Amino acid sequence: KMIDLYESVQHAGNILPRLYLLATVAAAYIKSLEAPAKEILKDVNELCKGVQHPLRGLFLRYYLSQMLKDKLPDTGSGFEGEGGDINDAFDFIFTNFNESNRLWVRIQNQGPAREKDRRERERHDLRVLVGANLVRLSQLDGMTMDFYAESALPRILDHIVSVKDTLSQQYLLESMIQVFPDEFHIRTLEQMLSAYARALPSVDMKPIMVTLMNRLANYLSEADPEKVQQAGDIFSLFRTHLQGILERALQPGNSGATPDIAPALEVLAAFMQFTVTLYPDQVHYVDIILGSAAELLQKFKATGLGSLSNKAVEEVGELLAGPMKTLGLGVLKMEHFASLVSFLDFETRKQVALSMVTAIVEEDRPLSSVEDAKALFSFISPLVKDEEDTPPDEGKDKARFAEEQQKVCKLVHQIRHEDTDVEYQILTEMRGSFGQGGPHRLIFSLQPIFFGALGLVPKIQAREKRRAEEGDEVVPPPNISLKKVFQFLHRTNTALMQSSPDMALQLWLIAATSADQVEQATGQQGNFEPICYEFLTQALVLFEEEISDSSKQYKGIHAIVGTLCRIVALDLENFDTVAQKITRHAAKLLKKPMQCRAVSACSQLFWCDARRDGKRVRECLERCVKTCEAVVQSDPAQTGLWV
């Protein structure tokens, strides 16, 4: 009989072989159905306590679990009924888990202190022998959601928390998330989060919380809306328990080391991702999380434990980047977004500002109100102007500085509104912000502002045309007239003259061409002709006062001549004044070959759409012939000048 065999193996001389034999025979004994499974399981479990050597006991417990895993009185098994029920099956595995964990923890105390690191590595390798019991529990058919929530989970969590060992709590709390189904976690979320708060301060909650959130987010994003609704307010549950868990990061560790707030911020970043995935339309939830991060950083700052680590700064950047990608300019309306940014150093604030600019440009988000522009430029101020903590060598790396400024300048082209008056107000707001940047930034920022304003000209013309066709009631007259736009262009380019005269010259000529086109379009002689002449005059003044390099003067003359040849609405007297002045400048160029070519170009001015004066053309060409003869005599290689 099996009972005789079961008793006879217990007379083996040594305890370790005896208990291995006992586990082997117990499996056959339960299978024979000669005795209730629950009694044999209980007996074997108790007898195995006889081996208390941590390593030997741990392997014995694992062997016992392997031998009896399919002999339990689980729901629906052949051993249920007289042999017991799910409670007996759970009790057996849980007791085995309980004892295995205690043996595993005791490994660290076996042997001399100098070998502690080796023993810790050994413990890490053996953790699967303990975790296998949790896997067995999750595989029980009788492990229903109700049984798990009401019976199994409270006992498992109490045991994990009661064993005051960091490695044990870390591994087992994370294993719990992996081995049990996601719907179980949703049902018992409050119990689990409460247990996390009771864990040792030295336990790194980051991987545990991140794993839990990722699993729940994936499950709920694919689940039916009804299941999500049944899950209740998961956000509030997490928020309630997270604060206590995260504040443990502010407590010094056992070794007295300075606490690092980075893992806590990483948990909040995961919580942010979890929230955005689960509640994409609940923007205020994002602000609440940012507020929690700001509060945590404020407390960290108050402790006086030093500055944020590089990792912590990165995590704050991650926290800010998430909502920027999904909400764009909407984040600037959040109460805690700006306050969180204030904890960062200059370089990181600049990177966050660049991320914001990139997100707006790449996703083509419109700037459609003065308030949006004001809030945005306040946020990206590290890129727009020098601040208190701006390093003295900012802009030293010219290529990087230019790239950053060019990204900011792209924002001008995101201004979009049906009303030209509003667009002008936004441009004015931007111009005011750019004006604080200093000459090294104005070189980049004023040019797009200029073209942004120039883009208003055809829009205002179209609006005036519609107004003439449909009446003032349908299309109200604009507050910002074309003349105001040209005044804006004048002020903007005047500010640019000192920083970049070459660019300013080009812009004066472009503005003159635009005024000439408007004059032609309106058909009313004299409305915009003085404006066109003013722009040309400013171009000449700039040419005379700021451009001294001979090659730049040569290029400038060609640019002015090219512009004048296209202008037709200019008064004849004004046209002649400009044409004669630029011709005189051409004749005074330092190098004779340049002089010859420049005067030749100026001859075009006297035979174009605006002017037909053959006498002046001949005078220019005769001057060129004299210069050419003198040049070719001294340098025959310059014969190309004749052409």
Side-chain angles (χ1 to χ4, degrees):
K1 289 186 176 180
M2 288 304 300
I3 189 169
D4 296 333
L5 186 58
Y6 184 70
E7 287 177 358
S8 69
V9 295
Q10 294 183 46
H11 296 292
N14 296 319
I15 189 167
L16 199 60
R18 182 195 313 159
L19 292 175
Y20 271 100
L21 285 169
L22 186 69
T24 311
V25 174
Y29 194 5
I30 294 171
K31 194 174 179 181
S32 72
L33 301 176
E34 290 180 16
K38 61 182 179 182
E39 292 178 8
I40 302 168
L41 292 171
K42 193 172 182 181
D43 187 48
V44 177
N45 234 338
E46 286 298 315
L47 289 170
C48 281
K49 290 179 182 177
V51 175
Q52 286 297 303
H53 184 281
L55 215 52
R56 292 172 188 159
L58 195 54
F59 278 99
L60 173 64
R61 287 279 170 189
Y62 183 70
Y63 179 74
L64 177 67
S65 172
Q66 288 287 87
M67 290 304 295
L68 300 178
K69 64 182 180 183
D70 55 349
K71 313 291 189 305
L72 306 176
D74 190 9
T75 303
S77 74
F79 308 104
E80 192 188 16
E82 190 182 338
D85 56 18
I86 180 61
N87 289 295
D88 298 300
F90 174 77
D91 284 344
F92 170 75
I93 300 175
F94 178 71
T95 304
N96 207 45
F97 164 67
N98 196 326
E99 292 297 323
S100 297
N101 189 29
R102 292 184 189 283
L103 290 164
W104 181 52
V105 170
R106 278 170 47 205
I107 291 175
Q108 64 185 315
N109 300 318
Q110 301 293 307
R114 66 176 181 276
E115 295 179 1
K116 189 171 182 181
D117 288 344
R118 182 185 62 78
R119 291 198 302 274
E120 282 297 305
R121 288 196 298 273
E122 201 172 68
R123 273 191 71 202
H124 187 267
D125 294 339
L126 294 172
R127 67 193 188 283
V128 69
L129 301 180
V130 183
N133 290 286
L134 290 175
V135 177
R136 300 274 177 274
L137 286 173
S138 68
Q139 291 169 344
L140 290 173
D141 291 332
M143 185 62 72
T144 61
M145 194 182 291
D146 289 335
F147 184 83
Y148 176 78
E150 293 164 17
S151 302
L153 183 65
R155 290 176 66 185
I156 295 170
L157 290 177
D158 282 344
H159 168 72
I160 293 173
V161 173
S162 68
V163 176
K164 304 295 183 185
D165 177 73
T166 302
L167 183 60
S168 169
Q169 290 187 4
Q170 183 90 47
Y171 169 65
L172 295 175
L173 288 174
E174 199 167 348
S175 298
M176 290 282 295
I177 300 166
Q178 303 285 4
V179 299
F180 289 104
D182 297 328
E183 55 265 35
F184 283 23
H185 299 322
I186 289 170
R187 166 82 177 272
T188 59
L189 189 56
E190 189 159 11
Q191 291 181 62
M192 291 177 72
L193 293 174
S194 298
Y196 294 168
R198 289 185 287 140
L200 292 170
S202 52
V203 173
D204 181 7
M205 296 308 299
K206 181 194 77 179
I208 298 168
M209 297 297 293
V210 170
T211 303
L212 179 62
M213 288 176 193
N214 289 343
R215 292 216 23 166
L216 294 186
N218 291 336
Y219 173 75
L220 290 170
S221 62
E222 295 170 7
D224 300 329
E226 192 178 331
K227 278 189 178 179
V228 178
Q229 200 171 358
Q230 287 172 355
D233 192 355
I234 293 176
F235 174 81
S236 295
L237 266 179
F238 267 114
R239 187 192 166 207
T240 305
H241 291 88
L242 261 181
Q243 202 63 28
I245 294 169
L246 297 178
E247 284 183 8
R248 300 187 318 167
L250 303 177
Q251 301 168 11
N254 296 334
S255 59
T258 303
D260 185 8
I261 201 171
L265 292 169
E266 202 168 337
V267 171
L268 277 174
F271 187 34
M272 174 79 77
Q273 187 58 43
F274 172 78
T275 303
V276 170
T277 305
L278 215 54
Y279 308 101
D281 52 342
Q282 300 290 343
V283 177
H284 66 286
Y285 281 178
V286 173
D287 199 22
I288 289 170
I289 298 170
L290 294 177
S292 297
E295 188 181 337
L296 198 65
L297 287 164
Q298 189 63 48
K299 288 180 179 176
F300 180 79
K301 198 174 179 182
T303 58
L305 295 169
S307 57
L308 296 178
S309 65
N310 291 337
K311 181 65 178 170
V313 169
E314 278 178 31
E315 290 307 325
V316 175
E318 280 295 312
L319 269 170
L320 295 166
M324 279 196 299
K325 288 174 186 170
T326 53
L327 302 173
L329 288 170
V331 298
L332 300 176
K333 295 173 184 173
M334 292 180 180
E335 183 185 347
H336 299 104
F337 192 85
S339 61
L340 192 56
V341 174
S342 66
F343 287 99
L344 300 172
D345 58 24
F346 174 81
E347 191 58 38
T348 314
R349 290 204 313 278
K350 192 169 81 169
Q351 291 309 314
V352 172
L354 272 173
S355 301
M356 169 67 87
V357 171
T358 304
I360 291 169
V361 172
E362 287 184 356
E363 294 169 25
D364 201 24
R365 295 180 183 271
L367 286 170
S368 52
S369 75
V370 178
E371 291 73 23
D372 280 355
K374 194 177 287 186
L376 174 62
F377 274 78
S378 172
F379 178 72
I380 65 167
S381 61
L383 291 167
V384 178
K385 62 181 181 180
D386 289 340
E387 300 195 308
E388 288 180 8
D389 57 347
T390 301
D393 61 346
E394 176 69 5
K396 192 176 180 181
D397 184 344
K398 291 185 178 178
R400 182 189 174 197
F401 184 76
E403 186 183 351
E404 290 168 356
Q405 292 304 307
Q406 284 161 7
K407 284 182 180 177
V408 176
C409 292
K410 289 180 181 180
L411 291 173
V412 176
H413 308 297
Q414 298 306 118
I415 299 174
R416 290 188 204 123
H417 201 281
E418 293 177 359
D419 190 343
T420 52
D421 294 344
V422 176
E423 284 203 17
Y424 180 83
Q425 289 166 9
I426 299 171
L427 268 172
T428 306
E429 177 63 38
M430 281 193 181
R431 170 67 185 86
S433 298
F434 284 139
Q436 302 171 42
H440 58 304
R441 289 189 179 90
L442 288 180
I443 294 172
F444 299 98
S445 57
L446 289 189
Q447 188 180 7
I449 284 285
F450 181 94
F451 282 106
L454 202 62
L456 286 175
V457 172
K459 292 181 183 178
I460 295 173
Q461 284 180 293
R463 181 171 172 173
E464 290 285 12
K465 187 179 178 183
R466 279 179 54 223
R467 181 167 151 257
E469 293 170 356
E470 301 175 25
D472 287 358
E473 291 181 3
V474 180
V475 184
N479 292 325
I480 305 302
S481 64
L482 287 168
K483 286 187 178 179
K484 280 190 178 177
V485 173
F486 283 123
Q487 286 169 3
F488 181 87
L489 293 174
H490 194 290
R491 290 195 305 273
T492 302
N493 209 30
T494 302
L496 185 62
M497 284 169 65
Q498 294 297 322
S499 304
S500 179
D502 298 345
M503 187 188 295
L505 177 65
Q506 294 294 333
L507 297 186
W508 283 129
L509 298 176
I510 289 167
T513 305
S514 179
D516 177 66
Q517 289 169 353
V518 172
E519 173 78 6
Q520 292 178 60
T522 56
Q524 297 174 359
Q525 192 68 29
N527 271 359
F528 292 92
E529 190 272 343
I531 296 173
C532 177
Y533 182 60
E534 167 63 17
F535 287 144
L536 287 170
T537 304
Q538 289 296 326
L540 277 172
V541 170
L542 176 65
F543 178 86
E544 290 166 357
E545 294 181 359
E546 300 293 340
I547 298 178
S548 54
D549 181 77
S550 186
S551 60
K552 288 183 179 179
Q553 286 178 338
Y554 178 69
K555 288 178 183 176
I557 288 167
H558 277 80
I560 294 170
V561 169
T563 302
L564 268 176
C565 286
R566 289 199 302 272
I567 288 175
V568 295
L570 203 61
D571 178 81
L572 197 59
E573 186 181 338
N574 290 336
F575 184 92
D576 275 352
T577 302
V578 178
Q580 287 170 20
K581 277 190 176 182
I582 200 64
T583 305
R584 282 199 293 272
H585 284 302
K588 291 177 184 176
L589 283 174
L590 196 61
K591 295 179 180 178
K592 294 290 183 183
M594 278 187 182
Q595 195 183 103
C596 183
R597 287 190 171 93
V599 174
S600 172
C602 289
S603 68
Q604 307 286 336
L605 293 173
F606 304 104
W607 200 269
C608 62
D609 292 343
R611 195 86 169 86
R612 287 285 191 271
D613 190 342
K615 184 184 175 186
R616 290 285 176 84
V617 175
R618 179 174 177 139
E619 284 174 5
C620 288
L621 295 178
E622 283 174 347
R623 175 69 183 261
C624 289
V625 168
K626 287 179 184 177
T627 310
C628 190
E629 284 174 342
V631 170
V632 174
Q633 276 180 10
S634 61
D635 184 5
Q638 294 280 358
T639 49
L641 280 176
W642 288 115
V643 179

